[in-house]
Amino acid sequence: MEDVITEAAPPSRFLEEDLNNFTLPSPSLPSPFLLFSLPKPSLPLKPPTLLISLSLPSPSPPLPSSPLLSSLILPELPLSPAPRPLNDSISLHSLPNGTVFVSVNTPISPDRAHAVAKVLLGDSVLPDSVLVLDDIRPRNYRGRLSSDEAIAFKLETSAERKRAAGEKLLEGLEYYPSGSVADGLGAAILGRCQVLNIRASLCVSWPRFDASVVELIKGAMRNGALHGLDLDLVLNSSGEVLKPGRSSSKDHAYQSDLYI
């Protein structure tokens, strides 16, 4: 007869995923929210264009002649010290032509991308069009990347694709190659625009920190529906990535042969 005390216990009749049903779920993070500057503008904001820059590795300097409209607060991030007790992760600035410029100054984790996209495009902000500037991540690109050649592609919502030539946000750019992947906050914002039927375009470019990329994006924007925007003001003041004259040894040494 087996000794029930010393013998090894029989295997559990429960699957491992079933055992997780007995553990308490981890608490969910609070939702992000917009904190508007004073005096608070009338809501919802309805700018003709929401221009979103995601390619910033560090907090960008304030845009000249572009007042701060709002800051998007991520409760999980620490607050900055006085005199401005905010976390400077995402800031919204008003440009002279009515465009609202959104500067994303810190990486947004993938699990928070959709929550941030819902705040940027929701009850408080309802733009006519959205343009997102992002960079190509080598692991997501099907093809070869070299710092010797500046490249940029676009992805569009259905509402933007129906626009005639000369009315698009970006003109002259090819579509992102089939098999390549766009992820993170840029993809979440584009998906949110598709759900809300907002005309939107996501521009992804390579290499980072390169003046040739800036000129390529400027040309695509000047030839499109944003020809009246002061691009020098935005692209030269939005941080180090879109500022001409910077280079990255890591990017210049990297070549990708990834195929999906």
Side-chain angles (χ1 to χ4, degrees):
M1 182 176 178
E2 295 180 354
D3 188 341
V4 296
I5 298 178
T6 59
E7 290 293 329
S12 173
R13 293 177 297 170
F14 294 98
L15 298 175
E16 189 161 349
E17 55 266 25
D18 293 332
L19 293 175
N20 293 334
N21 295 332
F22 299 98
T23 61
L24 294 177
S26 56
S28 57
L29 292 172
S31 299
F33 60 92
L34 287 173
L35 184 62
F36 288 91
S37 57
L38 297 176
K40 184 178 179 180
S42 58
L43 300 180
L45 297 176
K46 294 184 177 181
T49 304
L50 193 67
L51 178 58
I52 304 173
S53 175
L54 304 182
S55 303
L56 301 181
S58 60
S60 61
L63 294 173
S65 305
S66 302
L68 178 67
L69 285 176
S70 176
S71 294
L72 192 149
I73 305 301
L74 291 167
E76 65 270 23
L77 296 183
L79 300 179
S80 62
R84 190 180 176 204
L86 299 176
N87 56 33
D88 296 318
S89 56
I90 301 177
S91 57
L92 285 70
H93 296 265
S94 176
L95 300 183
N97 70 335
T99 297
V100 171
F101 176 71
V102 181
S103 175
V104 181
N105 306 315
T106 188
I108 304 298
S109 60
D111 59 318
R112 297 292 272 168
H114 288 284
V116 171
K118 287 183 178 180
V119 175
L120 286 176
L121 296 162
D123 295 335
S124 298
V125 184
L126 290 174
D128 295 332
S129 61
V130 177
L131 175 59
V132 185
L133 303 179
D134 202 353
D135 60 296
I136 296 175
R137 296 164 182 82
R139 67 180 183 274
N140 292 341
Y141 181 68
R142 183 187 180 188
R144 184 177 179 85
L145 292 173
S146 172
S147 59
D148 295 333
E149 181 183 3
I151 57 174
F153 302 100
K154 65 180 178 180
L155 290 166
E156 296 174 338
T157 60
S158 299
E160 173 67 8
R161 182 166 291 199
K162 295 176 182 177
R163 294 280 174 163
E167 296 180 352
K168 289 181 174 291
L169 296 170
L170 297 171
E171 291 284 356
L173 292 186
E174 299 292 333
Y175 288 105
Y176 202 32
S178 177
S180 299
V181 177
D183 59 4
L185 183 56
I189 292 173
L190 194 67
R192 177 72 173 163
C193 291
Q194 178 68 27
V195 171
L196 297 177
N197 196 30
I198 297 175
R199 53 177 302 214
S201 185
L202 168 63
C203 175
V204 290
S205 59
W206 174 271
R208 304 178 70 196
F209 305 104
D210 198 285
S212 58
V213 173
V214 176
E215 294 305 316
L216 183 60
I217 296 175
K218 282 183 181 180
M221 293 172 66
R222 285 196 181 100
N223 294 330
L226 296 178
H227 57 271
L229 180 64
D230 186 355
L231 301 179
D232 292 326
L233 169 67
V234 176
L235 296 185
N236 292 345
S237 302
S238 60
E240 297 185 6
V241 170
L242 295 178
K243 189 173 182 179
R246 286 303 303 267
S247 62
S248 170
S249 58
K250 179 180 179 181
D251 286 346
H252 280 255
Y254 191 93
Q255 291 183 332
S256 171
D257 289 306
L258 176 64
Y259 288 85
I260 301 175

